[in-house]
Amino acid sequence: MVHSLPLVLIAAVSPVLFLNASRVVEAAGISAGLYFAGGAVLCLVALGIPTMGLMGAATSQRVAADLASRGVDLALALVLIAYGAWQVVRSRRNRTGAGATSGTKDDALPTGGHALFAAGLLGMITNFTSLPLYLSVAQRIGTVTAPWWTRALLLILVIVVVATPVWFPVGLRAVAPKHSGIRPETRRRIQTATQRISIGACFLGGAVITWHVLRG
């Protein structure tokens, strides 16, 4: 839990997915939002189960499992930090057009159940900030000495938290439909801050993973 909780909370911060899910719900209702969220959740399930299973099956001894897990964590931390650095370089090169580029993924969402499902799947699989953090947690769960059902429950809880940006707009629309919309000015502020949030999440997540690796 000490290793996983901070990473899961950071991975759940995804402004682009949240904005897209909100637009889907506002435009087409709860059923459309469920299709979009279903695609994103399928991505997490499809990547999380093999990651957890491979770590549990490939390393039968606790010490070997811990060493392998640290190696995977270090690789994921380097990916996160490198992606964060790439975003910093790109933002400096395109500083004059930063406001426009931050909102490109929030344009022209598809219609129809299958298309929305595919959009949710693509949105999550290209979420290069959240996925390394999620995979770090999933592979750690695979090394835990616990019954399979306990690890499965932990993975389900992690998926629920990481997928918050896509299911929260649906839940809000169902519970409080009058307050589920996002004001245009609020949406613009989120779009403007998207890249800064992503860069911060990359460096913070990479630092947390590295700290756990060095701490042992």
Side-chain angles (χ1 to χ4, degrees):
M1 291 301 295
V2 172
H3 173 273
S4 300
L5 185 58
L7 300 182
V8 171
L9 293 178
I10 297 171
V13 179
S14 181
V16 171
L17 278 176
F18 174 73
L19 290 175
N20 287 345
S22 298
R23 287 188 63 207
V24 168
V25 172
E26 291 173 13
I30 292 177
S31 60
L34 289 174
Y35 276 111
F36 186 83
V41 170
L42 176 63
C43 174
L44 295 177
V45 173
L47 293 177
I49 291 177
T51 301
M52 182 181 69
L54 286 173
M55 286 304 302
T59 54
S60 57
Q61 296 181 354
R62 185 178 180 85
V63 174
D66 186 60
L67 290 174
S69 180
R70 291 185 199 179
V72 174
D73 269 348
L74 185 58
L76 291 172
L78 292 175
V79 169
L80 272 172
I81 294 171
Y83 181 58
W86 176 77
Q87 289 187 88
V88 171
V89 172
R90 187 182 64 171
S91 66
R92 289 182 177 178
R93 289 179 179 176
N94 304 289
R95 188 173 298 275
T96 57
T101 58
S102 64
T104 54
K105 291 187 179 181
D106 193 43
D107 297 331
L109 290 174
T111 58
H114 294 293
L116 287 170
F117 187 89
L121 179 65
L122 182 63
M124 184 61 77
I125 207 170
T126 56
N127 190 346
F128 301 122
T129 301
S130 296
L131 278 185
L133 297 168
Y134 167 71
L135 293 177
S136 174
V137 174
Q139 63 95 14
R140 280 283 180 172
I141 293 175
T143 66
V144 173
T145 305
W148 68 267
W149 61 267
T150 303
R151 287 180 287 172
L153 180 60
L154 285 173
L155 184 64
I156 291 172
L157 292 175
V158 169
I159 290 174
V160 169
V161 177
V162 175
T164 299
V166 293
W167 65 253
F168 183 76
V170 177
L172 187 60
R173 178 65 175 265
V175 175
K178 293 182 179 179
H179 304 282
S180 60
I182 300 178
R183 296 179 178 179
E185 59 271 20
T186 302
R187 182 177 295 276
R188 285 193 295 270
R189 289 175 183 174
I190 296 175
Q191 289 174 334
T192 302
T194 292
Q195 190 172 53
R196 292 195 295 271
I197 293 173
S198 178
I199 292 172
C202 284
F203 287 125
L204 180 59
V208 172
I209 295 175
T210 303
W211 180 77
H212 281 294
V213 171
L214 296 177
R215 184 171 175 265

